[in-house]
């Protein structure tokens, strides 16, 4: 009946005095869901229970299980629990697995979000650095054991996949794989956080990762980056003094992982013992493993490609594959049409997931047809297509059919394949720690402030490795060398090496080397690319480690020294009409900490007076040439 004015407010359903918030309310998904979502606490061997979200497609039987172990909130990673379909519930990167009927599992690592136990940042394997009975090896083993015994819809075969930290936990499982673990896909895994993944690169500390540590370790659940009322991280870190001063002034030394890192600025037993690459190579598993590496990964540029090389060297090439794509960090979980201005042919993330990962998993988890992956699939960022190789690199110093070709610094800031002829030649700049060269145009924001809500992070951060380098090429403390306009293409396929000979007036110092593809001044098909200085490989090297990463030594002031380091992998074509450029500078601030340029025992604790300008002389003579060694190939 319709309400009339003769009815009381109660009769009309308007009565007050009842609680408008019911004791329990459950949202109803119209039409129901095509999956079930179970949240279970899986017991580990030490009694600690790990929070695990299991998404099972309705009607599943004989389905493979795909597991990700995460420090980033399993319940959020497993998507929207109120979606009607599993496809829209799970993250985009999971779409192909949903379509293929996989059971998808996300689990919180111990001590994070819903899991019990203590959280240890990148918990090392049991042994000297981890005296407990458990690590990610045992936790993966116990989880897989439970899953295959408790999921009647499964076929008893499990794969692990994950990017970055999640790639690290996936790779850890390989050290003692459960018999049901049939395939692993570590994506941009953090394997050697000292050499080229998150915490350091060749000994230079990555300041901006401190925000990540804050976010991850201030509490068990979601955290935030270090609160600050300074918008520009460049200004904030510069004003703070040393990185140690920054840490102490903000109380970050009370977060145990921060002082732990600061106590180990060199590549000592602490870092070597955590280097998963050497652990994996010492005990290679026979589990089929597909390693994924972004060519422009602003966070983890080292793990996957070095693991693949080390396993090849250990005689395990036959069960290890490598994919390197045109991606920033974890971009394989989103769309892959472009990284910054570098556009790809189609959605390369989808191509990877659909055409490489899924056939690989289907082969090993479903007994599907052979995936027929090339041993190495790498995107050609010049010709814009995938290329398939049986080995990698194509050109290298030792053991390849083709060697590396030096591209020399020459008189007049010219780069050429001709060796210098002058017996004395050099260029000098002043590196002043009070005015460090920024790695991105200022203001520089905290890269992790948007973490969790989007994989891309904030755009300047996720694409800084392909940022137009014109923003620094006019600085007096950046040396810039260029070839003439290329009249034929130069193809590079491998790992370039920076081979710098230099003199400094200081007793320590960093060297940054960038290999850059300079576009023609006018690009009619894409006008915004006119003159673009596109870095294709760059890195930083801390001079005190030139002879040993474990035992740093002061640089003898005013004496020539050699600094030699590998740059990230390239598969690129410098096209006719382009130029090749090399830039050399001393800082990439505030991403990397400033080198005081005075040798001190621990740079985290450098004093204000230690930070001194130094004259940096880059030698380019016939006896002391400086060059980048390029993996040039004909075809
Ligand atoms: N690169 C992130 C990370 C930071 C520190 C340690 C491990 C991983 C990540 O994306 O997970």
């Amino acid at each position: 009946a319709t309400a009339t004015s003769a009815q009381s407010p109660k009769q009309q359903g308007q009565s007050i005095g009842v609680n408008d918030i019911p004791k329990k309310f459950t949202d109803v998904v119209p039409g129901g869901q095509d999956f079930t979502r179970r949240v279970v606490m899986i017991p580990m061997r030490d009694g600690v229970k790990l929070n695990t979200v299991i998404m099972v497609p309705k009607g599943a039987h004989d389905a493979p299980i795909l597991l990700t172990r995460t420090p980033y909130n399993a319940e959020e990673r497993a998507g929207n629990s109120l979606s009607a379909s599993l496809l829209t519930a799970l993250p985009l990167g999971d779409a192909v697995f949903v379509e293929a009927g996989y059971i998808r599992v996300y689990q919180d690592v111990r001590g994070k979000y819903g899991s019990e136990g203590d959280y240890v940042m990148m918990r090392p394997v049991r042994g000297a650095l981890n005296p407990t009975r458990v690590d990610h090896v045992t936790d993966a083993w116990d989880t897989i054991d439970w899953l295959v015994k408790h999921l009647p819809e499964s076929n008893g075969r499990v794969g692990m996949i994950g990017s970055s930290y999640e790639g690290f936990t996936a790779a850890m499982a390989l050290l003692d794989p459960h018999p049901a673990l049939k395939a692993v896909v570590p994506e941009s895994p953090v394997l050697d956080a000292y050499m080229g993944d998150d915490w350091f690169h060749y000994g230079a500390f990555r300041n901006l990762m401190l925000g990540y540590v804050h976010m991850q370790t201030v509490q068990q659940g979601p955290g935030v980056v270090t609160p600050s009322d300074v918008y520009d991280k460049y200004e904030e870190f510069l004003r703070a003094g040393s990185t140690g001063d920054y840490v102490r002034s903000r109380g970050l030394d009370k977060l145990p992982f921060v002082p732990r890192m600061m106590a180990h600025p060199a590549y000592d037993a602490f870092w070597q013992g955590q280097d998963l690459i050497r652990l994996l190579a010492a005990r290679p598993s026979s589990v089929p493993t597909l390693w994924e590496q972004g060519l422009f990964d602003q966070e983890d540029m080292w793990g996957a490609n070095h693991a693949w090389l080390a396993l090849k060297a250990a005689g395990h090439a036959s069960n290890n594959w490598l994919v390197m794509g045109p991606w920033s960090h974890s971009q394989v979980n989103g769309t892959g049409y472009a990284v910054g201005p570098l556009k790809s042919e189609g959605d390369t993330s989808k191509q990877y997931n659909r055409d490489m990962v899924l056939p690989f998993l289907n082969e090993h988890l479903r007994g599907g047809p052979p995936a027929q992956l090339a041993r190495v699939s790498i995107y050609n960022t010049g010709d814009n297509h995938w290329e398939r190789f049986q080995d990698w690199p194509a050109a290298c110093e030792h053991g390849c059919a083709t060697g590396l070709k030096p591209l020399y610094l020459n008189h007049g800031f010219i780069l050429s394949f001709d060796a210098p002829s002058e017996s004395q030649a050099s260029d000098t700049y002043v590196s002043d720690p009070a005015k460090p060269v920024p790695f991105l145009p200022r203001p520089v924001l905290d890269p992790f402030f948007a973490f969790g809500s989007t994989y891309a992070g904030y755009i300047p951060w996720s694409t800084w490795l392909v940022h137009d380098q014109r923003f620094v090429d006019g600085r007096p403390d950046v040396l810039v060398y260029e070839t003439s306009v290329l009249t034929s293409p130069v193809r590079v396929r491998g790992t370039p090496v920076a081979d710098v000979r230099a003199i400094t007036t200081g007793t320590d110092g960093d060297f940054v080397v960038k290999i850059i593809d300079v576009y023609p001044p006018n690009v009619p098909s894409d006008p915004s690319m006119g003159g673009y200085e596109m870095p294709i490989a760059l890195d930083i090297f801390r001079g005190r480690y030139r002879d040993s990463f474990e035992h740093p030594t002061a640089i003898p002031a005013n004496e020539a020294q050699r600094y030699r380091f590998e740059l990230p992998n390239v598969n690129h074509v410098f096209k006719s009409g382009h130029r090749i450029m090399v830039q050399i500078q001393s800082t990439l601030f505030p991403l990397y900490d400033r080198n005081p340029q005075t040798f001190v025992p621990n740079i985290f604790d450098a004093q204000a007076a230690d930070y001194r300008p130094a004259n940096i002389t880059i030698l380019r003579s016939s006896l002391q040439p400086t060059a980048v060694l390029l993996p040039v190939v004909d075809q």
Side-chain angles (χ1 to χ4, degrees):
T2 47
T4 67
S5 54
Q7 289 176 309
S8 69
K10 189 167 184 180
Q11 286 166 322
Q12 291 178 31
Q14 298 167 8
S15 76
I16 46 173
V18 297
N19 191 345
D20 283 341
I21 302 176
K23 286 234 160 17
K24 186 168 163 40
F25 175 79
T26 312
D27 278 301
V28 175
V29 181
Q33 294 181 297
D34 68 1
F35 64 97
T36 55
R37 183 178 191 270
R38 298 180 209 154
V39 182
V40 291
M41 294 297 280
I42 299 184
M44 301 293 107
R45 62 192 64 185
D46 62 346
V48 162
K49 296 196 183 73
L50 302 190
N51 187 46
T52 311
V53 186
I54 304 170
M55 312 282 269
V56 185
K58 278 228 168 101
H61 60 90
D62 281 335
I65 300 169
L66 191 56
L67 166 67
T68 296
R69 305 194 57 253
T70 183
Y72 301 134
N73 193 355
E75 306 215 13
E76 195 179 288
R77 295 284 289 114
N80 181 358
S81 59
L82 292 174
S83 275
S85 80
L86 192 51
L87 195 62
T88 52
L90 287 170
L92 181 61
D94 282 341
V96 294
F97 313 124
V98 175
E99 281 159 5
Y102 280 54
I103 297 171
R104 192 70 176 99
V105 180
Y106 284 93
Q107 179 182 67
D108 288 321
V109 297
R110 53 177 65 221
K112 280 303 282 178
Y113 293 90
S115 282
E116 299 173 359
D118 298 327
Y119 179 67
V120 175
M121 176 68 77
M122 310 277 304
R123 181 186 287 265
V125 290
R126 282 158 295 150
L129 296 170
N130 172 359
T132 72
R133 286 199 296 135
V134 291
D135 56 16
H136 289 294
V137 187
T138 61
D139 285 350
W141 206 101
D142 295 348
T143 301
I144 293 170
D145 200 54
W146 189 97
L147 290 173
V148 293
K149 289 178 180 155
H150 291 83
L151 296 185
E153 305 90 339
S154 97
N155 67 1
R157 291 169 169 240
V158 180
M160 286 189 74
I161 193 168
S163 174
S164 201
Y165 204 122
E166 297 170 355
F168 154 78
T169 59
M172 274 271 184
L174 290 165
L175 287 175
D176 178 19
H178 188 284
L181 182 63
K182 301 295 184 196
V184 178
V185 186
E187 301 176 311
S188 45
V190 187
L191 302 185
D192 188 344
Y194 186 89
M195 280 303 171
D197 288 330
D198 280 296
W199 308 130
F200 295 79
H201 271 214
Y202 292 133
F205 180 68
R206 291 162 66 85
N207 280 331
L208 295 183
M209 298 311 297
L210 289 168
Y212 172 92
V213 181
H214 187 282
M215 184 188 68
Q216 281 295 97
T217 66
V218 283
Q219 55 194 22
Q220 180 162 353
V224 291
V225 294
T226 318
S228 168
D229 56 5
V230 186
Y231 185 63
D232 182 1
K233 291 282 148 199
Y234 183 102
E235 184 184 347
E236 187 176 21
F237 273 94
L238 191 60
R239 277 205 201 149
S242 69
T243 296
D245 291 335
Y246 171 88
V247 160
R248 287 179 288 270
S249 61
R250 280 134 182 98
L252 302 180
D253 48 336
K254 305 293 179 303
L255 297 173
F257 185 66
V258 174
R260 204 147 78 229
M261 270 197 293
M262 288 171 45
H264 300 279
Y267 196 52
D268 56 12
F270 177 75
W271 295 114
Q272 291 180 35
Q274 295 186 63
D275 173 10
L276 246 186
I277 296 170
R278 71 178 73 187
L279 297 175
L280 288 164
R283 294 192 242 170
S285 93
S286 51
V287 176
T289 306
L290 180 61
W291 300 93
E292 178 274 320
Q293 181 70 61
L295 291 165
F296 303 101
D297 190 313
Q298 77 282 9
E299 292 178 31
D300 300 297
M301 193 61 125
W302 188 272
N305 59 85
H306 285 86
W308 184 84
L309 285 175
L311 289 163
K312 179 177 85 158
H316 275 251
S318 63
N319 67 309
N320 286 278
W321 288 262
L322 176 64
V323 179
M324 291 185 274
W327 303 310
S328 61
H329 188 58
S330 297
Q331 200 180 339
V332 289
N333 292 319
T335 53
Y337 293 104
V339 54
L342 197 63
K343 298 179 189 69
S344 303
E345 202 57 60
D347 182 352
T348 54
S349 300
K350 186 167 182 182
Q351 292 156 13
Y352 158 79
N353 282 306
R354 183 193 58 202
D355 306 337
M356 300 180 207
V357 180
L358 185 62
F360 172 76
L361 293 178
N362 278 345
E363 175 183 350
H364 301 292
L365 299 181
R366 273 205 189 280
Q372 294 188 327
L373 291 182
R375 200 54 59 198
V376 178
S377 305
I378 175 164
Y379 199 79
N380 185 319
T381 50
D383 285 340
N384 241 333
H385 57 217
W386 286 101
E387 288 178 334
R388 295 157 55 88
F389 303 111
Q390 278 319 308
D391 204 358
W392 181 263
C396 63
E397 263 182 320
H398 308 289
C400 295
T402 312
L404 297 177
K405 190 167 175 184
L407 183 61
Y408 295 100
L409 273 48
N410 267 301
H411 176 75
F413 297 101
I414 285 171
L415 268 187
S416 96
F417 289 111
D418 300 327
S421 53
E422 296 156 272
S423 58
Q424 301 246 329
S426 61
D427 296 306
T428 298
Y429 64 94
V430 178
S431 165
D432 184 352
K435 298 188 178 102
V437 185
F439 79 106
L440 269 175
R442 295 174 62 187
V444 175
L445 310 191
D446 196 311
F448 297 105
F449 82 93
F451 198 82
S453 56
T454 160
Y455 259 107
Y458 93 104
I459 293 302
W461 166 246
S462 56
T463 56
W464 84 266
L465 285 169
V466 288
H467 196 91
D468 190 345
Q469 295 302 306
R470 278 179 293 196
F471 84 105
V472 292
D473 75 3
R475 282 183 61 127
D477 50 0
V478 178
L479 294 183
V480 181
Y481 301 84
E482 275 191 291
T483 61
S484 47
V485 174
L486 299 177
T487 50
S488 55
V490 176
R491 290 178 177 275
V492 283
R493 190 174 293 148
T495 316
V497 174
D499 190 8
V500 177
R501 286 163 161 106
I503 296 173
T504 171
T505 53
T507 50
D508 199 355
D510 294 348
F511 293 88
V512 174
V513 175
K514 310 176 205 168
I515 302 175
I516 295 167
D517 183 348
V518 185
Y519 282 58
N522 183 11
V523 181
S525 59
D526 192 355
S528 64
M529 292 306 289
Y532 197 99
E533 294 178 6
M534 167 84 68
I536 61 153
L538 69 87
D539 218 334
I540 186 168
F541 183 91
R542 184 141 284 176
R544 55 170 48 205
Y545 300 116
R546 68 205 174 287
D547 293 326
S548 158
F549 283 103
E550 191 171 1
H551 303 293
T553 49
I555 298 174
N558 303 311
E559 269 186 35
Q561 300 285 298
R562 191 171 186 182
Y563 306 90
R564 217 168 183 277
F565 52 101
E566 288 186 346
L567 296 172
N569 287 299
V570 295
N571 185 27
H572 189 72
V573 186
F574 299 94
K575 296 195 172 142
S576 300
H578 291 223
R579 297 171 189 260
I580 308 175
M581 175 184 278
V582 166
Q583 292 184 1
I584 300 181
Q585 62 200 48
S586 295
T587 31
L588 286 171
F589 190 72
L591 171 53
Y592 291 93
D593 63 338
R594 290 177 304 149
N595 190 317
Q597 306 190 143
T598 307
F599 186 83
V600 294
N602 185 340
I603 290 181
F604 285 111
D605 298 323
Q607 303 295 305
D610 300 324
Y611 289 83
R612 294 186 204 150
N615 292 349
I616 313 294
T617 300
I618 304 294
L619 305 172
R620 46 171 185 76
S621 65
S622 53
L623 292 175
Q624 299 269 38
T626 288
V628 290
L629 314 184
L630 294 181
V632 177
V633 291
D634 292 338
Q635 289 293 323

